Amino acid sequence: MKNNVFVNFDVILDAIANVKEVHDVRVVRRPINYVTWNIKNDRVEVYFPVSDRYLKKAALRVTFDVKSLNSQGIKKIVTVIWRFIFYYSIFPFETIKTMLKSGTIEDLIFYLLKNVLFYLDMDEASFILLSENQQSVLRAFSLTKKAQKLSEYKSTARLKRGLSKRVITEKRPIIIKDVYFEDDINPKMVEKARRTVVAYPLTYNGRVLGIVYVNSKKVREVDEKLVMFLKNSFEIISPQLFKMLLNEKYEDTIDKLKLLNKISGVLVKKDKLDDETLREILNMLKEHLNLLQIAILVPSNNKLIIKAEYGFKIDKEKFSLDIFGRGIVPYVYITGKEYYSPDVKFDDKYFFYDKKVRAEAAFPLYRGKRIMGVLDVTSDRINAFSEKDLSLLESVAGIISLALVRSFAYEKIEKDSFLDPLTGLKNRRALEHDVPELLKEVIYTNSTCAFVLLDLDGFKVFNDTYGHTEGDMVLKEFGKIVIDSIRDYDIAVRYGGDEFLLVLFGMKKGIVESVLERIREGIKKEYPEIDFSYGIACSPEDGVSLEKLLKKSDERLYNNKKIKKEQHGEIT
């Protein structure tokens, strides 16, 4: 017998003293690791290795008369006394020490439940680990008498009423002899055919760390003294559990900070948050939390579309959710509150799109007080996300929100730098940035493209007559008419002063002239004194580069103005 046993000495001494053959029982400061004995005359002294509540090794010396006992009888008495010790003291010293060095919370809980089941001789034991505020269950484990390992499950414990609330409030063991005669009992106990239940709090410094439930499917008489002693014995477990929780929390915090620092490091290098960067971040989270899928969704025309994702097996270009429709993501977007569904099969908010999904969590992405998107994660496991996982995701959502705000601000500045502030049309910088790539696409697809350079006729006279403010109104109105006259994918540019450029894709010269006629009708309707001259260059026949097409359209504009001047006199 190598294990030292933690002993409530008062209980042990009283219990063993009642054994008929026992002459004397006492604790001696004699640290030993094995059961030893001495024979003196007609008495045998047996020393049992034990430890006090401070984990200091000692020995329990039991002296008994053996006049009428043979060696087998002595062995039997020693076994009985040894069982007395174990009956009233359940935590081996060496096991606790080993657990402190290398064990996990699961090891500790398994050992606790295994021993409680053995000493109370019940059918099943379970343990719920509570959050710091004792308002929610972090994890839950169960163990049957014959099982060799813990089962983790989703707890249905009601912490704000019934048995669990009593244990948390009163911080003492509660015995329910028959749940059928209890007024406020969790219906799940009845469903699982439990009859007798004992509930123990594991407390440390006034805080209930968790609750142990021991159940029997038959009505049982429970030794209240033994129950109270087991509660005292838990005093050795509670500090160790608290230390493990602190270590786990510390390690989790370090891991969380490392991941957040890594994500921040990626984001800080980027002014503009592109899809590649977002996918890199999402992949980090997916690997860290063993996710099935992760996505950032943003609003677009009363829909929520995927901006970036990882793990989806769908075409993200075609996937969308109605903002005011069913689904966890729309719910989070509309309410602005994070939401966690531990089992989507029993959640009416869940919108089915992947049969592998079993748990889902979503977090709002804020821009000030306005929601600009949702971070959504899924798992193929029920109860996949712990409180610490949800806390991590909430922090990541905050970081992504800040990065998106900065990205949107950068995009706005970038967009504004490509726009003419008066007309809202693209400027020459945008022309030089966007059009060369589009021309490559025209060549690659064997398509056509028309460049139309426009110059307003009569604008200088109008400006001199009515002033610059009215002149600006003409330019703004002309820009609006141009936008209304072309397609969404065509380009309109304020080229400079009263010159404008149209880039019309897939159009031949005849169609281009019909577009120009619509523009002329529009501006004449508002300002009869205003007209325009134009020059058209077509790709590929007039060139395939921006420079050649601009040069050709400018030449033709000059020639057209020259013809007009010869026909109608000075044009300004």
Side-chain angles (χ1 to χ4, degrees), residues 84-114:
F84 259 118
I85 295 173
F86 268 96
Y87 187 73
Y88 287 106
S89 50
I90 63 173
F91 303 113
F93 174 71
E94 297 298 335
T95 304
I96 292 292
K97 279 209 317 185
T98 302
M99 225 175 276
L100 285 175
K101 289 180 180 178
S102 58
T104 64
I105 288 177
E106 288 85 349
D107 295 332
L108 194 64
I109 300 307
F110 173 79
Y111 187 74
L112 168 66
L113 298 185
K114 192 76 173 174

PDB file of all heavy atoms in Angstrom, residues 84-114:
ATOM      1  N   PHE A  84     -11.895   1.007   6.560  1.00  0.00           N
ATOM      2  CA  PHE A  84     -12.433   2.091   7.392  1.00  0.00           C
ATOM      3  C   PHE A  84     -11.751   3.410   7.014  1.00  0.00           C
ATOM      4  O   PHE A  84     -12.400   4.443   6.865  1.00  0.00           O
ATOM      5  CB  PHE A  84     -12.174   1.802   8.875  1.00  0.00           C
ATOM      6  CG  PHE A  84     -13.373   1.261   9.591  1.00  0.00           C
ATOM      7  CD1 PHE A  84     -13.349  -0.006  10.151  1.00  0.00           C
ATOM      8  CD2 PHE A  84     -14.525   2.016   9.726  1.00  0.00           C
ATOM      9  CE1 PHE A  84     -14.450  -0.510  10.798  1.00  0.00           C
ATOM     10  CE2 PHE A  84     -15.629   1.519  10.387  1.00  0.00           C
ATOM     11  CZ  PHE A  84     -15.603   0.242  10.932  1.00  0.00           C
ATOM     12  N   ILE A  85     -10.450   3.315   6.863  1.00  0.00           N
ATOM     13  CA  ILE A  85      -9.713   4.528   6.521  1.00  0.00           C
ATOM     14  C   ILE A  85     -10.171   5.073   5.171  1.00  0.00           C
ATOM     15  O   ILE A  85     -10.461   6.263   5.012  1.00  0.00           O
ATOM     16  CB  ILE A  85      -8.189   4.262   6.501  1.00  0.00           C
ATOM     17  CG1 ILE A  85      -7.706   3.891   7.910  1.00  0.00           C
ATOM     18  CG2 ILE A  85      -7.426   5.458   5.963  1.00  0.00           C
ATOM     19  CD1 ILE A  85      -6.268   3.454   7.956  1.00  0.00           C
ATOM     20  N   PHE A  86     -10.269   4.170   4.196  1.00  0.00           N
ATOM     21  CA  PHE A  86     -10.696   4.613   2.880  1.00  0.00           C
ATOM     22  C   PHE A  86     -12.149   5.046   2.870  1.00  0.00           C
ATOM     23  O   PHE A  86     -12.552   5.917   2.106  1.00  0.00           O
ATOM     24  CB  PHE A  86     -10.474   3.513   1.838  1.00  0.00           C
ATOM     25  CG  PHE A  86      -9.148   3.620   1.165  1.00  0.00           C
ATOM     26  CD1 PHE A  86      -8.073   2.877   1.607  1.00  0.00           C
ATOM     27  CD2 PHE A  86      -8.967   4.489   0.116  1.00  0.00           C
ATOM     28  CE1 PHE A  86      -6.845   2.985   0.995  1.00  0.00           C
ATOM     29  CE2 PHE A  86      -7.729   4.610  -0.501  1.00  0.00           C
ATOM     30  CZ  PHE A  86      -6.678   3.853  -0.059  1.00  0.00           C
ATOM     31  N   TYR A  87     -12.970   4.426   3.708  1.00  0.00           N
ATOM     32  CA  TYR A  87     -14.388   4.782   3.752  1.00  0.00           C
ATOM     33  C   TYR A  87     -14.585   6.216   4.212  1.00  0.00           C
ATOM     34  O   TYR A  87     -15.464   6.922   3.747  1.00  0.00           O
ATOM     35  CB  TYR A  87     -15.114   3.832   4.700  1.00  0.00           C
ATOM     36  CG  TYR A  87     -16.615   3.995   4.693  1.00  0.00           C
ATOM     37  CD1 TYR A  87     -17.367   3.561   3.610  1.00  0.00           C
ATOM     38  CD2 TYR A  87     -17.269   4.573   5.762  1.00  0.00           C
ATOM     39  CE1 TYR A  87     -18.746   3.706   3.594  1.00  0.00           C
ATOM     40  CE2 TYR A  87     -18.647   4.724   5.764  1.00  0.00           C
ATOM     41  CZ  TYR A  87     -19.385   4.284   4.682  1.00  0.00           C
ATOM     42  OH  TYR A  87     -20.733   4.429   4.678  1.00  0.00           O
ATOM     43  N   TYR A  88     -13.713   6.649   5.119  1.00  0.00           N
ATOM     44  CA  TYR A  88     -13.861   7.997   5.662  1.00  0.00           C
ATOM     45  C   TYR A  88     -12.836   8.985   5.096  1.00  0.00           C
ATOM     46  O   TYR A  88     -12.770  10.130   5.526  1.00  0.00           O
ATOM     47  CB  TYR A  88     -13.749   7.970   7.180  1.00  0.00           C
ATOM     48  CG  TYR A  88     -14.967   7.367   7.834  1.00  0.00           C
ATOM     49  CD1 TYR A  88     -14.919   6.091   8.372  1.00  0.00           C
ATOM     50  CD2 TYR A  88     -16.158   8.070   7.887  1.00  0.00           C
ATOM     51  CE1 TYR A  88     -16.037   5.524   8.959  1.00  0.00           C
ATOM     52  CE2 TYR A  88     -17.279   7.517   8.465  1.00  0.00           C
ATOM     53  CZ  TYR A  88     -17.220   6.245   9.011  1.00  0.00           C
ATOM     54  OH  TYR A  88     -18.336   5.696   9.583  1.00  0.00           O
ATOM     55  N   SER A  89     -12.020   8.553   4.171  1.00  0.00           N
ATOM     56  CA  SER A  89     -10.992   9.449   3.616  1.00  0.00           C
ATOM     57  C   SER A  89     -10.658   8.987   2.212  1.00  0.00           C
ATOM     58  O   SER A  89     -10.225   7.863   2.035  1.00  0.00           O
ATOM     59  CB  SER A  89      -9.742   9.420   4.490  1.00  0.00           C
ATOM     60  OG  SER A  89      -9.345   8.100   4.730  1.00  0.00           O
ATOM     61  N   ILE A  90     -10.847   9.857   1.226  1.00  0.00           N
ATOM     62  CA  ILE A  90     -10.883   9.344  -0.141  1.00  0.00           C
ATOM     63  C   ILE A  90      -9.763   9.811  -1.061  1.00  0.00           C
ATOM     64  O   ILE A  90      -9.674   9.342  -2.176  1.00  0.00           O
ATOM     65  CB  ILE A  90     -12.229   9.703  -0.799  1.00  0.00           C
ATOM     66  CG1 ILE A  90     -12.393  11.215  -0.897  1.00  0.00           C
ATOM     67  CG2 ILE A  90     -13.384   9.086  -0.097  1.00  0.00           C
ATOM     68  CD1 ILE A  90     -13.614  11.642  -1.678  1.00  0.00           C
ATOM     69  N   PHE A  91      -8.893  10.710  -0.649  1.00  0.00           N
ATOM     70  CA  PHE A  91      -7.964  11.272  -1.611  1.00  0.00           C
ATOM     71  C   PHE A  91      -6.509  10.889  -1.324  1.00  0.00           C
ATOM     72  O   PHE A  91      -5.876  11.447  -0.443  1.00  0.00           O
ATOM     73  CB  PHE A  91      -8.086  12.798  -1.652  1.00  0.00           C
ATOM     74  CG  PHE A  91      -9.473  13.228  -1.981  1.00  0.00           C
ATOM     75  CD1 PHE A  91     -10.252  13.885  -1.059  1.00  0.00           C
ATOM     76  CD2 PHE A  91     -10.000  12.929  -3.215  1.00  0.00           C
ATOM     77  CE1 PHE A  91     -11.533  14.269  -1.370  1.00  0.00           C
ATOM     78  CE2 PHE A  91     -11.290  13.300  -3.541  1.00  0.00           C
ATOM     79  CZ  PHE A  91     -12.061  13.976  -2.604  1.00  0.00           C
ATOM     80  N   PRO A  92      -5.965   9.905  -2.076  1.00  0.00           N
ATOM     81  CA  PRO A  92      -4.565   9.499  -1.873  1.00  0.00           C
ATOM     82  C   PRO A  92      -3.598  10.658  -2.100  1.00  0.00           C
ATOM     83  O   PRO A  92      -3.693  11.360  -3.098  1.00  0.00           O
ATOM     84  CB  PRO A  92      -4.368   8.394  -2.909  1.00  0.00           C
ATOM     85  CG  PRO A  92      -5.731   7.848  -3.140  1.00  0.00           C
ATOM     86  CD  PRO A  92      -6.643   9.028  -3.017  1.00  0.00           C
ATOM     87  N   PHE A  93      -2.683  10.771  -1.202  1.00  0.00           N
ATOM     88  CA  PHE A  93      -1.724  11.868  -1.186  1.00  0.00           C
ATOM     89  C   PHE A  93      -0.844  11.885  -2.434  1.00  0.00           C
ATOM     90  O   PHE A  93      -0.696  12.901  -3.086  1.00  0.00           O
ATOM     91  CB  PHE A  93      -0.872  11.714   0.074  1.00  0.00           C
ATOM     92  CG  PHE A  93       0.261  12.689   0.163  1.00  0.00           C
ATOM     93  CD1 PHE A  93       0.002  14.023   0.403  1.00  0.00           C
ATOM     94  CD2 PHE A  93       1.563  12.276   0.023  1.00  0.00           C
ATOM     95  CE1 PHE A  93       1.037  14.923   0.501  1.00  0.00           C
ATOM     96  CE2 PHE A  93       2.598  13.175   0.117  1.00  0.00           C
ATOM     97  CZ  PHE A  93       2.340  14.491   0.355  1.00  0.00           C
ATOM     98  N   GLU A  94      -0.288  10.750  -2.795  1.00  0.00           N
ATOM     99  CA  GLU A  94       0.622  10.695  -3.929  1.00  0.00           C
ATOM    100  C   GLU A  94      -0.107  11.024  -5.230  1.00  0.00           C
ATOM    101  O   GLU A  94       0.440  11.655  -6.123  1.00  0.00           O
ATOM    102  CB  GLU A  94       1.277   9.303  -4.032  1.00  0.00           C
ATOM    103  CG  GLU A  94       2.144   8.935  -2.850  1.00  0.00           C
ATOM    104  CD  GLU A  94       3.326   9.882  -2.690  1.00  0.00           C
ATOM    105  OE1 GLU A  94       3.735  10.487  -3.702  1.00  0.00           O
ATOM    106  OE2 GLU A  94       3.831  10.035  -1.573  1.00  0.00           O
ATOM    107  N   THR A  95      -1.365  10.589  -5.333  1.00  0.00           N
ATOM    108  CA  THR A  95      -2.146  10.867  -6.542  1.00  0.00           C
ATOM    109  C   THR A  95      -2.362  12.362  -6.699  1.00  0.00           C
ATOM    110  O   THR A  95      -2.246  12.922  -7.790  1.00  0.00           O
ATOM    111  CB  THR A  95      -3.498  10.143  -6.485  1.00  0.00           C
ATOM    112  OG1 THR A  95      -3.265   8.758  -6.301  1.00  0.00           O
ATOM    113  CG2 THR A  95      -4.285  10.359  -7.767  1.00  0.00           C
ATOM    114  N   ILE A  96      -2.699  13.031  -5.596  1.00  0.00           N
ATOM    115  CA  ILE A  96      -2.901  14.482  -5.632  1.00  0.00           C
ATOM    116  C   ILE A  96      -1.614  15.181  -6.052  1.00  0.00           C
ATOM    117  O   ILE A  96      -1.617  16.089  -6.878  1.00  0.00           O
ATOM    118  CB  ILE A  96      -3.362  15.008  -4.257  1.00  0.00           C
ATOM    119  CG1 ILE A  96      -4.762  14.496  -3.946  1.00  0.00           C
ATOM    120  CG2 ILE A  96      -3.340  16.521  -4.222  1.00  0.00           C
ATOM    121  CD1 ILE A  96      -5.822  15.073  -4.853  1.00  0.00           C
ATOM    122  N   LYS A  97      -0.496  14.740  -5.508  1.00  0.00           N
ATOM    123  CA  LYS A  97       0.782  15.370  -5.839  1.00  0.00           C
ATOM    124  C   LYS A  97       1.100  15.209  -7.328  1.00  0.00           C
ATOM    125  O   LYS A  97       1.525  16.139  -7.996  1.00  0.00           O
ATOM    126  CB  LYS A  97       1.914  14.753  -5.004  1.00  0.00           C
ATOM    127  CG  LYS A  97       2.004  15.319  -3.607  1.00  0.00           C
ATOM    128  CD  LYS A  97       3.410  15.293  -3.035  1.00  0.00           C
ATOM    129  CE  LYS A  97       4.136  13.999  -3.304  1.00  0.00           C
ATOM    130  NZ  LYS A  97       5.436  13.956  -2.633  1.00  0.00           N
ATOM    131  N   THR A  98       0.862  14.000  -7.861  1.00  0.00           N
ATOM    132  CA  THR A  98       1.112  13.742  -9.277  1.00  0.00           C
ATOM    133  C   THR A  98       0.219  14.616 -10.147  1.00  0.00           C
ATOM    134  O   THR A  98       0.652  15.186 -11.146  1.00  0.00           O
ATOM    135  CB  THR A  98       0.854  12.255  -9.601  1.00  0.00           C
ATOM    136  OG1 THR A  98       1.691  11.455  -8.768  1.00  0.00           O
ATOM    137  CG2 THR A  98       1.133  11.955 -11.067  1.00  0.00           C
ATOM    138  N   MET A  99      -1.038  14.716  -9.707  1.00  0.00           N
ATOM    139  CA  MET A  99      -1.999  15.500 -10.469  1.00  0.00           C
ATOM    140  C   MET A  99      -1.599  16.975 -10.525  1.00  0.00           C
ATOM    141  O   MET A  99      -1.773  17.657 -11.523  1.00  0.00           O
ATOM    142  CB  MET A  99      -3.382  15.353  -9.837  1.00  0.00           C
ATOM    143  CG  MET A  99      -4.489  15.101 -10.833  1.00  0.00           C
ATOM    144  SD  MET A  99      -6.007  14.791 -10.000  1.00  0.00           S
ATOM    145  CE  MET A  99      -5.864  13.073  -9.658  1.00  0.00           C
ATOM    146  N   LEU A 100      -1.068  17.483  -9.419  1.00  0.00           N
ATOM    147  CA  LEU A 100      -0.658  18.881  -9.364  1.00  0.00           C
ATOM    148  C   LEU A 100       0.476  19.147 -10.338  1.00  0.00           C
ATOM    149  O   LEU A 100       0.597  20.222 -10.893  1.00  0.00           O
ATOM    150  CB  LEU A 100      -0.217  19.239  -7.945  1.00  0.00           C
ATOM    151  CG  LEU A 100      -1.327  19.427  -6.921  1.00  0.00           C
ATOM    152  CD1 LEU A 100      -0.716  19.642  -5.552  1.00  0.00           C
ATOM    153  CD2 LEU A 100      -2.196  20.601  -7.291  1.00  0.00           C
ATOM    154  N   LYS A 101       1.322  18.138 -10.552  1.00  0.00           N
ATOM    155  CA  LYS A 101       2.473  18.321 -11.426  1.00  0.00           C
ATOM    156  C   LYS A 101       2.095  18.216 -12.903  1.00  0.00           C
ATOM    157  O   LYS A 101       2.538  18.995 -13.731  1.00  0.00           O
ATOM    158  CB  LYS A 101       3.555  17.281 -11.098  1.00  0.00           C
ATOM    159  CG  LYS A 101       4.241  17.522  -9.774  1.00  0.00           C
ATOM    160  CD  LYS A 101       5.292  16.443  -9.528  1.00  0.00           C
ATOM    161  CE  LYS A 101       6.005  16.668  -8.193  1.00  0.00           C
ATOM    162  NZ  LYS A 101       6.996  15.599  -7.911  1.00  0.00           N
ATOM    163  N   SER A 102       1.276  17.206 -13.257  1.00  0.00           N
ATOM    164  CA  SER A 102       1.045  16.959 -14.683  1.00  0.00           C
ATOM    165  C   SER A 102      -0.400  16.704 -15.055  1.00  0.00           C
ATOM    166  O   SER A 102      -0.702  16.518 -16.225  1.00  0.00           O
ATOM    167  CB  SER A 102       1.878  15.742 -15.118  1.00  0.00           C
ATOM    168  OG  SER A 102       1.514  14.609 -14.340  1.00  0.00           O
ATOM    169  N   GLY A 103      -1.297  16.662 -14.097  1.00  0.00           N
ATOM    170  CA  GLY A 103      -2.676  16.332 -14.394  1.00  0.00           C
ATOM    171  C   GLY A 103      -3.462  17.483 -14.978  1.00  0.00           C
ATOM    172  O   GLY A 103      -3.029  18.624 -14.984  1.00  0.00           O
ATOM    173  N   THR A 104      -4.645  17.156 -15.475  1.00  0.00           N
ATOM    174  CA  THR A 104      -5.544  18.151 -16.031  1.00  0.00           C
ATOM    175  C   THR A 104      -6.786  18.246 -15.154  1.00  0.00           C
ATOM    176  O   THR A 104      -6.988  17.446 -14.242  1.00  0.00           O
ATOM    177  CB  THR A 104      -5.967  17.754 -17.448  1.00  0.00           C
ATOM    178  OG1 THR A 104      -6.716  16.524 -17.377  1.00  0.00           O
ATOM    179  CG2 THR A 104      -4.760  17.560 -18.349  1.00  0.00           C
ATOM    180  N   ILE A 105      -7.622  19.226 -15.460  1.00  0.00           N
ATOM    181  CA  ILE A 105      -8.895  19.344 -14.743  1.00  0.00           C
ATOM    182  C   ILE A 105      -9.718  18.080 -14.938  1.00  0.00           C
ATOM    183  O   ILE A 105     -10.354  17.589 -14.006  1.00  0.00           O
ATOM    184  CB  ILE A 105      -9.660  20.584 -15.240  1.00  0.00           C
ATOM    185  CG1 ILE A 105      -8.968  21.854 -14.733  1.00  0.00           C
ATOM    186  CG2 ILE A 105     -11.113  20.567 -14.783  1.00  0.00           C
ATOM    187  CD1 ILE A 105      -9.578  23.139 -15.218  1.00  0.00           C
ATOM    188  N   GLU A 106      -9.677  17.513 -16.151  1.00  0.00           N
ATOM    189  CA  GLU A 106     -10.428  16.287 -16.418  1.00  0.00           C
ATOM    190  C   GLU A 106      -9.950  15.138 -15.528  1.00  0.00           C
ATOM    191  O   GLU A 106     -10.762  14.358 -15.016  1.00  0.00           O
ATOM    192  CB  GLU A 106     -10.293  15.889 -17.890  1.00  0.00           C
ATOM    193  CG  GLU A 106     -11.049  16.785 -18.848  1.00  0.00           C
ATOM    194  CD  GLU A 106     -10.240  18.018 -19.244  1.00  0.00           C
ATOM    195  OE1 GLU A 106      -9.184  18.273 -18.616  1.00  0.00           O
ATOM    196  OE2 GLU A 106     -10.677  18.737 -20.163  1.00  0.00           O
ATOM    197  N   ASP A 107      -8.605  15.041 -15.328  1.00  0.00           N
ATOM    198  CA  ASP A 107      -8.055  13.999 -14.449  1.00  0.00           C
ATOM    199  C   ASP A 107      -8.595  14.158 -13.033  1.00  0.00           C
ATOM    200  O   ASP A 107      -8.986  13.179 -12.381  1.00  0.00           O
ATOM    201  CB  ASP A 107      -6.525  14.064 -14.417  1.00  0.00           C
ATOM    202  CG  ASP A 107      -5.910  13.743 -15.762  1.00  0.00           C
ATOM    203  OD1 ASP A 107      -6.529  12.998 -16.531  1.00  0.00           O
ATOM    204  OD2 ASP A 107      -4.816  14.262 -16.047  1.00  0.00           O
ATOM    205  N   LEU A 108      -8.576  15.389 -12.550  1.00  0.00           N
ATOM    206  CA  LEU A 108      -9.022  15.656 -11.191  1.00  0.00           C
ATOM    207  C   LEU A 108     -10.503  15.323 -11.018  1.00  0.00           C
ATOM    208  O   LEU A 108     -10.907  14.689 -10.043  1.00  0.00           O
ATOM    209  CB  LEU A 108      -8.766  17.125 -10.857  1.00  0.00           C
ATOM    210  CG  LEU A 108      -8.849  17.520  -9.377  1.00  0.00           C
ATOM    211  CD1 LEU A 108      -7.767  16.833  -8.562  1.00  0.00           C
ATOM    212  CD2 LEU A 108      -8.731  19.030  -9.233  1.00  0.00           C
ATOM    213  N   ILE A 109     -11.324  15.732 -11.974  1.00  0.00           N
ATOM    214  CA  ILE A 109     -12.766  15.477 -11.901  1.00  0.00           C
ATOM    215  C   ILE A 109     -13.049  13.978 -11.989  1.00  0.00           C
ATOM    216  O   ILE A 109     -13.908  13.454 -11.270  1.00  0.00           O
ATOM    217  CB  ILE A 109     -13.513  16.240 -13.020  1.00  0.00           C
ATOM    218  CG1 ILE A 109     -13.283  17.745 -12.890  1.00  0.00           C
ATOM    219  CG2 ILE A 109     -15.002  15.931 -12.991  1.00  0.00           C
ATOM    220  CD1 ILE A 109     -13.600  18.314 -11.522  1.00  0.00           C
ATOM    221  N   PHE A 110     -12.329  13.289 -12.876  1.00  0.00           N
ATOM    222  CA  PHE A 110     -12.515  11.836 -12.986  1.00  0.00           C
ATOM    223  C   PHE A 110     -12.219  11.154 -11.659  1.00  0.00           C
ATOM    224  O   PHE A 110     -12.982  10.301 -11.189  1.00  0.00           O
ATOM    225  CB  PHE A 110     -11.597  11.265 -14.079  1.00  0.00           C
ATOM    226  CG  PHE A 110     -11.607   9.761 -14.141  1.00  0.00           C
ATOM    227  CD1 PHE A 110     -12.655   9.088 -14.756  1.00  0.00           C
ATOM    228  CD2 PHE A 110     -10.581   9.016 -13.569  1.00  0.00           C
ATOM    229  CE1 PHE A 110     -12.673   7.704 -14.804  1.00  0.00           C
ATOM    230  CE2 PHE A 110     -10.587   7.632 -13.610  1.00  0.00           C
ATOM    231  CZ  PHE A 110     -11.633   6.972 -14.237  1.00  0.00           C
ATOM    232  N   TYR A 111     -11.105  11.547 -11.058  1.00  0.00           N
ATOM    233  CA  TYR A 111     -10.714  10.934  -9.790  1.00  0.00           C
ATOM    234  C   TYR A 111     -11.750  11.229  -8.703  1.00  0.00           C
ATOM    235  O   TYR A 111     -12.129  10.356  -7.915  1.00  0.00           O
ATOM    236  CB  TYR A 111      -9.339  11.470  -9.384  1.00  0.00           C
ATOM    237  CG  TYR A 111      -8.781  10.779  -8.181  1.00  0.00           C
ATOM    238  CD1 TYR A 111      -8.282   9.493  -8.270  1.00  0.00           C
ATOM    239  CD2 TYR A 111      -8.781  11.414  -6.940  1.00  0.00           C
ATOM    240  CE1 TYR A 111      -7.785   8.841  -7.151  1.00  0.00           C
ATOM    241  CE2 TYR A 111      -8.288  10.768  -5.829  1.00  0.00           C
ATOM    242  CZ  TYR A 111      -7.786   9.494  -5.941  1.00  0.00           C
ATOM    243  OH  TYR A 111      -7.320   8.847  -4.842  1.00  0.00           O
ATOM    244  N   LEU A 112     -12.220  12.451  -8.679  1.00  0.00           N
ATOM    245  CA  LEU A 112     -13.228  12.855  -7.699  1.00  0.00           C
ATOM    246  C   LEU A 112     -14.510  12.042  -7.859  1.00  0.00           C
ATOM    247  O   LEU A 112     -15.021  11.451  -6.900  1.00  0.00           O
ATOM    248  CB  LEU A 112     -13.519  14.348  -7.881  1.00  0.00           C
ATOM    249  CG  LEU A 112     -14.743  14.931  -7.169  1.00  0.00           C
ATOM    250  CD1 LEU A 112     -14.552  14.881  -5.666  1.00  0.00           C
ATOM    251  CD2 LEU A 112     -14.995  16.355  -7.620  1.00  0.00           C
ATOM    252  N   LEU A 113     -15.046  12.015  -9.080  1.00  0.00           N
ATOM    253  CA  LEU A 113     -16.314  11.316  -9.307  1.00  0.00           C
ATOM    254  C   LEU A 113     -16.182   9.812  -9.091  1.00  0.00           C
ATOM    255  O   LEU A 113     -17.107   9.168  -8.569  1.00  0.00           O
ATOM    256  CB  LEU A 113     -16.814  11.599 -10.730  1.00  0.00           C
ATOM    257  CG  LEU A 113     -17.128  13.073 -11.066  1.00  0.00           C
ATOM    258  CD1 LEU A 113     -17.731  13.174 -12.460  1.00  0.00           C
ATOM    259  CD2 LEU A 113     -18.070  13.672 -10.031  1.00  0.00           C
ATOM    260  N   LYS A 114     -15.062   9.255  -9.497  1.00  0.00           N
ATOM    261  CA  LYS A 114     -14.849   7.808  -9.325  1.00  0.00           C
ATOM    262  C   LYS A 114     -14.896   7.436  -7.857  1.00  0.00           C
ATOM    263  O   LYS A 114     -15.548   6.444  -7.469  1.00  0.00           O
ATOM    264  CB  LYS A 114     -13.488   7.434  -9.923  1.00  0.00           C
ATOM    265  CG  LYS A 114     -13.269   5.931 -10.070  1.00  0.00           C
ATOM    266  CD  LYS A 114     -14.023   5.377 -11.242  1.00  0.00           C
ATOM    267  CE  LYS A 114     -13.671   3.911 -11.486  1.00  0.00           C
ATOM    268  NZ  LYS A 114     -14.508   3.334 -12.546  1.00  0.00           N
TER     269      LYS A 114
END
